Each structure stands twice: as structure tokens, then as C-alpha cells.
Amino acid sequence: MSPNFDLHEESVIIGGRAASVRWRRSQRARRVALKIDPQGGEIVITLPPRGSRRAGLALLRGYEDWVAAKLAALPAPMRLADGEMIPVCGTPRTIIHDPVMRGGTVIAASIIRVTGQKEFLARRVRDALREFAHERFSQRAHETAAKIGVRPRRVRVKDTTSRWGSCAPDGTLMFSWRLIMAPDFVQDYVIAHEVAHLRYLNHGSAFWDLTNRLTPYRAAATSWLSTHGPGLLRIS
């Protein structure tokens, strides 16, 4: 059995508005934890093995103002649909459904042209962006790693909500496919950050010194992700 599993979802009133709460039970949790899931726009309360719903609600009410402010600050969700505009490498592209075109999804300078039936459009766009992200991030990660004489075991892309990238102990680098929508300088920083972990699997001073040598964009990129990252998580 997974150490984490959902219990149920329910609606509560937060700051005078209805909000969704997803309850989770974790065998590893030592205390009740509260977070906002920006992708789903919901509250997630994690309970330890013996934690009670009452304790979870008490924590939620204790931080009600903070939760209400975080929910209110979330960008509106955006669907991958015909006519919508989404960024790729920071440049806006308009999604255009072209059912008579052949050759799959094409990411061009100002558009994303999608073939096939309209009900599969969102999935086709996601698949194309994931493929593009894997190709781009893999190439840039290997190029960056070569500068310091290391090599990632492999590069993967996933759909994560808590981190833009990670480095496993075995040298596997993982990046959120949504990072492909961020500007180049943001991608550069996240890739450099994870490549630096191939040398230092910690956040000590040596790690940050190496990261700063690999990229000049640390401050600008972290600021951009703090401001605009939640918006990327709301695109589905």
C-alpha cells in the first residue's frame, strides 16, 4: 500500500467562500499539515496515522486568513483549448485546431497547430509540450553538466505540483514539463540548479557557489517562478 492515500474531499467555507478540501492520510507524517494545491485550486490537509479530522479542521481555522488569501491570489484556470493563448519558452502561442491538417501537433513561432478530433486537443497539446520539454531539457542538461565534468544518468519530465526540478541520488534529473512554458532564463536556472546537484546533493555553500557559476539568472528566475509559477500550474 502507498504510504499516502486520499480519504475524501469536502467543501468548506473559507473567508466567506466555498473551497474544496482534500484529506490525505500519510503513514510517514508526524503532524497535521496544510498546503494549497495550486493546480487543483484546493486545500490539502495531510493527517498522520492517528490524526483526526477535528485536528485538521482546527489547523485550517487557525490559518483561515492565510488560506483565504492564498486561494484568492491563485490565477484563474486556463484550458488547453482552441483559440486559447499559452506561452512556450515565454513566448505566447495561440492554439489553433486544424482537423484537416496532417502530421500531428506543430509548435510554431506564434501558434500551436493541432490536428485530429477536437475532444483530444488538450491531450495532444500536452503530449507535444512534454515531448518538446524532454528534448530541450535533456540537451541543455547534458550541455550544462559537461561544463563541470558530470553526466546525468537520464532526464525525465513529469507533471509535478511541488517542485520544478529534482535530482535523484542515482543521478536522474526530473523536470516539470510545465517549465517549457517559462522563459529561457528560468529554464536555464532550474536546469543549472539540478545539474549542480550531480556534484553536491545538498544545498550547502559549495552547491550555491557552483549553481551561481553555471547560471547568472538565479535571482531573476526564482522571482519569476514565485510570481508566475502558480499560473503555469493552472493550465490544463
Side-chain angles (χ1 to χ4, degrees):
M1 179 184 294
S2 169
N4 303 299
F5 56 94
D6 291 349
L7 296 174
H8 64 277
E9 292 190 16
E10 66 177 282
S11 180
V12 298
I13 301 299
I14 297 293
R17 297 184 178 183
S20 177
V21 175
R22 175 156 49 95
W23 294 88
R24 305 206 74 199
R25 179 78 68 185
S26 173
Q27 301 300 321
R28 297 173 179 170
R30 295 187 176 183
R31 59 180 64 86
V32 180
L34 168 70
K35 72 174 186 178
I36 305 298
D37 175 8
Q39 189 170 12
E42 62 184 358
I43 305 160
V44 180
I45 299 178
T46 301
L47 301 176
R50 297 182 180 276
S52 66
R53 178 177 176 276
R54 177 180 295 180
L57 287 176
L59 180 64
L60 176 60
R61 293 307 173 192
Y63 287 88
E64 183 169 354
D65 290 344
W66 176 85
V67 171
K70 287 292 185 181
L71 291 174
L74 286 176
M78 180 184 296
R79 301 300 177 191
L80 297 174
D82 187 28
E84 292 287 352
M85 183 176 289
I86 64 168
V88 180
C89 297
T91 301
R93 266 89 162 176
T94 303
I95 298 173
I96 297 177
H97 180 228
D98 190 343
V100 299
M101 187 187 79
R102 296 187 178 184
T105 303
V106 176
I107 302 173
S110 60
I111 64 171
I112 300 175
R113 193 175 297 277
V114 190
T115 64
Q117 297 175 303
K118 199 166 188 175
E119 57 265 35
F120 302 123
L121 182 146
R123 177 176 59 80
R124 289 175 182 270
V125 174
R126 278 195 299 271
D127 288 348
L129 291 175
R130 287 182 71 121
E131 182 178 352
F132 182 38
H134 184 268
E135 178 183 345
R136 183 179 178 88
F137 298 162
S138 182
Q139 178 181 346
R140 295 179 72 173
H142 279 87
E143 290 174 350
T144 304
K147 296 177 181 179
I148 57 172
V150 297
R151 181 180 178 87
R153 181 180 179 188
R154 58 181 171 177
V155 177
R156 304 174 61 191
V157 296
K158 298 176 68 176
D159 193 4
T160 57
T161 60
S162 60
R163 56 180 65 183
W164 297 105
S166 65
C167 177
D170 70 353
T172 296
L173 303 184
M174 185 284 299
F175 300 100
S176 167
W177 71 264
R178 296 172 183 274
L179 189 63
I180 199 64
M181 295 185 281
D184 286 347
F185 74 90
V186 178
Q187 297 175 25
D188 182 90
Y189 163 69
V190 175
I191 291 169
H193 182 116
E194 301 311 331
V195 166
H197 278 310
L198 294 173
R199 178 71 60 80
Y200 303 105
L201 203 57
N202 56 56
H203 286 101
S205 59
F207 163 80
W208 288 116
D209 288 343
L210 179 57
T211 300
N212 291 334
R213 294 208 314 268
L214 291 173
T215 175
Y217 305 120
R218 176 183 168 189
T222 54
S223 176
W224 192 97
L225 286 170
S226 176
T227 301
H228 302 287
L232 301 186
L233 296 174
R234 298 287 277 167
I235 297 175
S236 63

